[in-house]
Amino acid sequence: MKRMIDAMVTHHVRTVVIISIVVNVLIIVLSGIPGYVGDLPTWVTRLPLLNAIMNSFTFFFLLFALLAILKRNIVLHRRFIFAAFSSTSVFLVSYVIFHFMAESTSYGGGGFSAMFYYFILITHIVLAAVIVPLALMSFFTGFKDLRSKHKKWVRFAMPLWLYVSATGVLVYVMISPYYTF
């Protein structure tokens, strides 16, 4: 296992490309698969709330990581980044399970609220796909202490990841009244 992790870190660009493709293709494939037939188990109906909680944790972990690095506290910064990746990983597993089991829910609002919701949803989806390689490149360049490269990646990754995690919560708040389970 250690050898595999060392290889992933050594060849981090290859690792980022593979993980980004696998994650994004998996999400696209899941969006085209019909949902579970029958009543969803109760634990599955609670996954969207878990997703919103994990997105909230990710947002705050990233914010605290940013504050830590602005104070030049690298150790605390790294801890919060590891926490952000952990909460994002839990989110991703939960998201995949939920969207494998449940049908998509349509937004029931109209007028300005519908336009706002779909703007947030579309930007969230597009930037969620983009953030995968950006966050991973930021992580690996930071982990390998390639500071100049790390700063270049983070300049884009941090604000986009903050936006994606915050809008994930907003999407949940706006769509949750329309769940039928």
Side-chain angles (χ1 to χ4, degrees):
M1 183 68 152
K2 182 179 176 351
R3 222 169 114 196
M4 184 177 79
I5 292 171
D6 289 343
M8 288 173 64
V9 172
T10 301
H11 305 289
H12 73 272
V13 173
R14 184 182 330 156
T15 301
V16 168
V17 169
I18 291 168
I19 292 173
S20 298
I21 290 170
V22 168
V23 167
N24 285 311
V25 167
L26 181 61
I27 300 301
I28 291 168
V29 167
L30 281 175
S31 68
I33 294 176
Y36 176 78
V37 177
D39 292 335
L40 290 173
T42 303
W43 67 270
V44 172
T45 65
R46 294 194 176 118
L47 292 179
L49 176 59
L50 176 64
N51 294 344
I53 291 168
M54 290 297 106
N55 270 322
S56 298
F57 284 171
T58 300
F59 179 84
F60 286 109
F61 291 149
L62 290 171
L63 198 58
F64 294 146
L66 179 59
L67 294 173
I69 203 62
L70 290 174
K71 292 183 178 185
R72 306 217 187 282
N73 189 337
I74 294 171
V75 171
L76 189 59
H77 170 76
R78 284 183 178 171
R79 289 178 181 163
F80 279 122
I81 291 299
F82 278 112
F85 269 92
S86 297
S87 59
T88 292
S89 297
V90 171
F91 160 80
L92 185 59
V93 170
S94 173
Y95 179 90
V96 167
I97 291 169
F98 178 74
H99 286 281
F100 179 73
M101 304 270 309
E103 292 285 333
S104 291
T105 300
S106 296
Y107 183 70
F112 177 76
S113 69
M115 290 185 341
F116 179 73
Y117 172 78
Y118 285 111
F119 173 79
I120 294 297
L121 179 65
I122 290 166
T123 58
H124 172 80
I125 290 168
V126 169
L127 293 176
V130 169
I131 199 59
V132 175
L134 291 177
L136 289 169
M137 284 302 292
S138 298
F139 175 81
F140 281 111
T141 55
F143 186 79
K144 293 170 80 169
D145 202 18
L146 305 171
R147 291 184 188 194
S148 63
K149 289 183 180 180
H150 179 69
K151 287 178 183 179
K152 289 177 184 176
W153 285 107
V154 170
R155 185 174 295 128
F156 298 102
M158 182 61 83
L160 292 179
W161 199 1
L162 284 166
Y163 178 85
V164 167
S165 56
T167 56
V169 176
L170 186 56
V171 166
Y172 168 76
V173 168
M174 293 185 77
I175 196 70
S176 62
Y178 304 105
Y179 288 138
T180 58
F181 42 79

